[in-house]
């Protein structure tokens, strides 16, 4: 349930970011509706954080609690007010945080004007300060927060650059080069005039983000055959010069609905490409497409299972390491944040951790489904990802409890947890260094007066045991 929740948050955030990017490229000011939508999304994010804390508590809740978020969702779809919400209750810290988030969401939904415009009007109407204090002196916390955010972005881009130039990036580049070279050579031997389809198909197939290798090759072949048969059937049933345009339009209309299924996506692309090729004067290209696709699938299967180019630990390990480092950043922020601090940065770090964990889980699940002879000897990355997910969940629940007056752990307890997580990320970063890395780390006994962080320590011990066994 939490994975579906974070996936929905990621899709919504990507849509909002794309909208803002479009506005900046077109130099168009944001509309009031867009600003209100962004504020309501922020309120929904806080509500989701409280929901994660409720999930971690695992206490029975009345069914009416789930009705309020549904009312907000209906209000977004219909434009009507959300209506009556559930009565507040403060039996636990998570329940109190959930009800407070509901209240904040109700205020955001009732607002007809963006808060930024209200603040700008208030500042314009207010008188300048008369104490002679320079304006720069009021920017300490905000400046420090901005500096930490900039440093975090620089560090993330640096790690991303290292991952592109690391073993996984080099293996992927070598796989693409071998596939293109082999497919281009075969295509030039078969036919020198229409040689582009075979290397293009091989390049598209070698992408590792389209599912397991065997699955995507089977889907590619089946989709190509189905597209060719549909196009050939349309050529037999339809007459005139307009029917290729009709097939291209049908393929384009099918593409948005087939984006999550590789075979259907291949059918749509095949219909469009065959229509373009037919109009350009090559009506016999349908049969060549099946032959080229079959050869490309065979080349990719062979190259994708070569011993030196098919090690899933290289392409999964760096994603799991990045997820552990994002988890450590979020945990450190939760344990070191001052009471009453603005939760914006915490929410951003939690979202970044969940996004990195989602990418790591997808890569681990894809690697587990590969048809490799050494699959049983590959590390169980899903164990690490699951433990890291529970650490983020526990840290979220801990943040909610700290906001509601729970005992804050000491500096030593917080530091030893963060150091242990960072050491385990270093130990898992490179299989060659893992045997040499010191994964013992500090003692991870129970954290005094904080049951949630005791759970964090237990999950860290699970990752430590995996790292030592691997």
């Amino acid at each position: 349930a939490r994975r579906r929740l974070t996936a929905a948050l990621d899709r919504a955030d990507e849509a909002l970011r794309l909208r803002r990017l479009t506005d900046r490229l077109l130099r168009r000011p944001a509309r009031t509706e867009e600003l209100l939508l962004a504020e309501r999304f922020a309120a929904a994010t806080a509500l989701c954080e409280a929901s994660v804390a409720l999930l971690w508590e695992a206490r029975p809740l009345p069914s009416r609690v789930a009705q309020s978020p549904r009312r907000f969702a209906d209000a977004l779809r219909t434009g009507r007010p959300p209506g009556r919400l559930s009565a507040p209750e403060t039996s636990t810290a998570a329940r109190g945080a959930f009800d407070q988030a509901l209240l904040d969401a109700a205020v955001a939904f009732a607002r007809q004007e963006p808060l930024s415009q209200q603040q700008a009007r208030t500042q314009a109407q207010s008188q300048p300060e008369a104490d002679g204090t320079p304006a720069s002196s009021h920017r300490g916390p905000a400046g420090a927060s901005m500096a930490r955010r900039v440093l975090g972005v620089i560090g993330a881009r640096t790690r991303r650059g290292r991952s592109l130039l690391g073993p996984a990036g080099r293996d992927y580049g070598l796989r693409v080069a071998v596939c293109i070279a082999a497919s281009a050579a075969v295509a030039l031997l078969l036919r020198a005039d229409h040689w582009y389809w075979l290397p293009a198909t091989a390049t598209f197939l070698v992408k590792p983000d389209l599912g397991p290798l065997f699955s995507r090759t089977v889907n590619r072949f089946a989709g190509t055959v189905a597209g060719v048969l549909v196009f050939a059937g349309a050529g037999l049933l339809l007459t005139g010069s307009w029917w290729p345009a009709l097939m291209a339009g049908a393929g384009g209309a099918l593409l948005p609905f087939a984006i999550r299924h590789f075979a259907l996506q291949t059918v749509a692309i095949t219909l469009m490409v065959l229509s373009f090729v037919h109009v350009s004067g090559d009506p016999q290209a349908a049969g060549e497409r099946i032959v080229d696709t079959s050869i490309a699938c065979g080349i990719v299967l062979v190259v994708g299972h070569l011993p030196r180019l098919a090690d899933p630990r290289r392409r999964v390990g760096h994603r799991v390491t990045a997820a552990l480092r994002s988890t450590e950043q979020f945990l450190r922020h939760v344990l070191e944040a001052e009471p009453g601090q603005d939760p914006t940065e915490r929410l951003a770090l939690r979202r970044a951790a969940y996004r990195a964990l989602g990418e790591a889980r997808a890569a681990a699940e894809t690697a587990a489904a590969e048809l490799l002879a050494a699959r049983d000897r590959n590390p169980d990355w899903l164990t690490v990802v699951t433990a890291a997910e529970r650490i983020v969940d526990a840290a979220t629940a801990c943040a909610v409890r700290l906001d509601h007056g729970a005992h804050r752990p000491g500096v030593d307890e917080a530091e030893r947890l963060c150091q242990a997580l960072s050491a385990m990320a270093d130990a898992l970063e490179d299989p060659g260094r893992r045997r040499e890395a010191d994964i013992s780390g500090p003692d991870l006994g129970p954290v005094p007066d904080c049951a949630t962080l005791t759970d964090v320590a237990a999950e860290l011990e699970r990752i430590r045991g995996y790292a030592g066994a691997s």
Side-chain angles (χ1 to χ4, degrees), residues 20-39:
R20 287 194 293 265
L21 177 62
T22 303
D23 291 339
R24 287 198 296 267
L25 291 177
L26 298 178
R27 297 182 179 180
R28 181 177 58 193
R31 295 181 298 177
T32 301
E33 295 81 2
E34 297 174 2
L35 296 176
L36 285 174
L37 186 62
E39 292 181 3

Side-chain angles (χ1 to χ4, degrees), residues 198-240:
L198 207 160
T201 302
T203 305
F204 193 65
L205 273 175
V206 80
K207 285 176 61 63
D209 57 346
L210 299 174
L213 178 61
F214 184 78
S215 173
R216 62 177 181 261
T217 53
V218 170
N219 278 275
R220 178 72 177 188
F221 178 78
T224 301
V225 172
V228 169
L229 292 178
V230 171
F231 187 84
L236 294 176
L237 297 176
L238 303 176
T239 58

Side-chain angles (χ1 to χ4, degrees), residues 66-77:
Q67 295 298 327
S68 298
R70 293 187 184 127
R71 291 180 182 273
F72 286 125
D74 293 337
L76 273 180
R77 294 189 186 99

Side-chain angles (χ1 to χ4, degrees), residues 49 140-142 144-146 148-149 332-347 349 399 402-403 408:
E49 182 184 54
S145 176
M146 180 61 67
R148 287 194 300 269
R149 191 173 304 173
R332 183 178 294 276
H333 179 81
V334 168
L335 300 180
E336 295 180 356
E338 296 295 332
Q341 186 174 344
D342 185 11
T344 303
E345 186 175 359
R346 184 181 77 199
L347 294 176
L349 289 174
L402 292 177
D403 289 344
R408 184 171 293 274

Side-chain angles (χ1 to χ4, degrees), residues 124-145:
Q125 294 174 354
S126 61
Q127 296 295 327
E129 297 181 10
D131 57 357
T133 305
S136 60
S137 64
H138 298 285
R139 298 175 184 172
S145 176

Side-chain angles (χ1 to χ4, degrees), residues 264-283:
L264 292 178
Q265 185 179 358
T266 304
V267 172
I269 294 176
T270 301
L271 290 176
M272 291 188 293
V273 171
L274 289 178
S275 300
F276 301 152
V277 174
H278 184 86
V279 172
S280 64
D282 190 8

Side-chain angles (χ1 to χ4, degrees), residues 104-367:
D104 295 339
V107 173
F109 272 75
R111 190 182 298 120
Q112 300 298 323
E113 185 180 20
L115 186 60
S116 57
Q117 296 181 3
Q118 295 181 3
Q119 292 175 344
R121 186 182 301 107
T122 303
Q123 292 177 359
Q125 294 174 354
S126 61
Q127 296 295 327
E129 297 181 10
D131 57 357
T133 305
S136 60
S137 64
H138 298 285
R139 298 175 184 172
S145 176
M146 180 61 67
R148 287 194 300 269
R149 191 173 304 173
V150 170
L151 290 177
V153 171
I154 294 176
R157 291 181 176 178
T158 303
R159 289 191 295 271
R160 189 179 300 115
R162 287 201 299 265
S163 66
L164 291 176
L165 300 177
R170 293 196 299 268
D171 288 353
Y172 176 63
L174 189 56
R175 284 198 304 273
V176 173
V178 173
C179 287
I180 291 179
S183 58
V186 173
L188 290 174
L189 290 176
L190 290 178
R191 61 186 74 87
D193 49 351
H194 299 115
W195 63 274
Y196 59 89
W197 182 267
L198 207 160
T201 302
T203 305
F204 193 65
L205 273 175
V206 80
K207 285 176 61 63
D209 57 346
L210 299 174
L213 178 61
F214 184 78
S215 173
R216 62 177 181 261
T217 53
V218 170
N219 278 275
R220 178 72 177 188
F221 178 78
T224 301
V225 172
V228 169
L229 292 178
V230 171
F231 187 84
L236 294 176
L237 297 176
L238 303 176
T239 58
S241 59
W242 54 270
W243 68 270
L246 178 63
M247 298 307 298
L254 179 63
L255 194 59
F257 302 98
I259 194 66
R260 296 184 180 275
H261 196 286
F262 191 32
L264 292 178
Q265 185 179 358
T266 304
V267 172
I269 294 176
T270 301
L271 290 176
M272 291 188 293
V273 171
L274 289 178
S275 300
F276 301 152
V277 174
H278 184 86
V279 172
S280 64
D282 190 8
Q284 305 299 326
E288 297 178 358
R289 296 301 175 262
I290 296 180
V291 175
D292 291 349
T293 300
S294 303
I295 298 175
C297 289
I299 292 174
V300 171
L301 281 175
V302 172
V303 175
H305 288 87
L306 292 178
R308 297 294 298 176
L309 298 181
D311 188 0
R313 290 175 294 185
R314 293 181 179 271
R315 65 175 181 268
V316 179
H318 76 280
R319 292 187 182 274
V320 176
T321 302
L324 290 180
R325 297 197 187 282
S326 298
T327 302
E328 187 266 337
Q329 292 177 2
F330 173 62
L331 179 62
R332 183 178 294 276
H333 179 81
V334 168
L335 300 180
E336 295 180 356
E338 296 295 332
Q341 186 174 344
D342 185 11
T344 303
E345 186 175 359
R346 184 181 77 199
L347 294 176
L349 289 174
R350 182 180 62 85
R351 294 274 313 288
Y354 279 138
R355 186 179 294 109
L357 286 168
E359 294 175 354
R361 173 169 287 277
E365 290 176 346
T366 300

